[in-house]
mmCIF file of all heavy atoms in Angstrom:
data_model
loop_
_atom_site.group_PDB
_atom_site.id
_atom_site.type_symbol
_atom_site.label_atom_id
_atom_site.label_comp_id
_atom_site.label_asym_id
_atom_site.label_seq_id
_atom_site.Cartn_x
_atom_site.Cartn_y
_atom_site.Cartn_z
ATOM 1 N N VAL K 64 -0.277 -12.986 4.536
ATOM 2 C CA VAL K 64 -1.481 -12.167 4.639
ATOM 3 C C VAL K 64 -2.578 -13.034 5.262
ATOM 4 O O VAL K 64 -2.841 -14.136 4.784
ATOM 5 C CB VAL K 64 -1.937 -11.667 3.259
ATOM 6 C CG1 VAL K 64 -3.234 -10.878 3.374
ATOM 7 C CG2 VAL K 64 -0.842 -10.814 2.621
ATOM 8 N N GLN K 108 -7.812 0.353 -2.684
ATOM 9 C CA GLN K 108 -6.457 0.261 -2.156
ATOM 10 C C GLN K 108 -6.275 1.274 -1.036
ATOM 11 O O GLN K 108 -6.712 2.428 -1.151
ATOM 12 C CB GLN K 108 -5.409 0.548 -3.238
ATOM 13 C CG GLN K 108 -3.976 0.500 -2.722
ATOM 14 C CD GLN K 108 -3.009 1.397 -3.468
ATOM 15 O OE1 GLN K 108 -3.386 2.141 -4.360
ATOM 16 N NE2 GLN K 108 -1.733 1.324 -3.107
ATOM 17 N N PHE K 129 -6.470 0.647 9.468
ATOM 18 C CA PHE K 129 -6.260 1.160 10.814
ATOM 19 C C PHE K 129 -4.780 1.461 11.070
ATOM 20 O O PHE K 129 -3.916 1.063 10.288
ATOM 21 C CB PHE K 129 -6.786 0.141 11.820
ATOM 22 C CG PHE K 129 -8.279 -0.056 11.736
ATOM 23 C CD1 PHE K 129 -8.820 -0.965 10.837
ATOM 24 C CD2 PHE K 129 -9.139 0.692 12.527
ATOM 25 C CE1 PHE K 129 -10.193 -1.138 10.731
ATOM 26 C CE2 PHE K 129 -10.503 0.528 12.433
ATOM 27 C CZ PHE K 129 -11.041 -0.392 11.534
#
Side-chain angles (χ1 to χ4, degrees):
Chain K
V64 177
Q108 178 209 4
F129 295 86

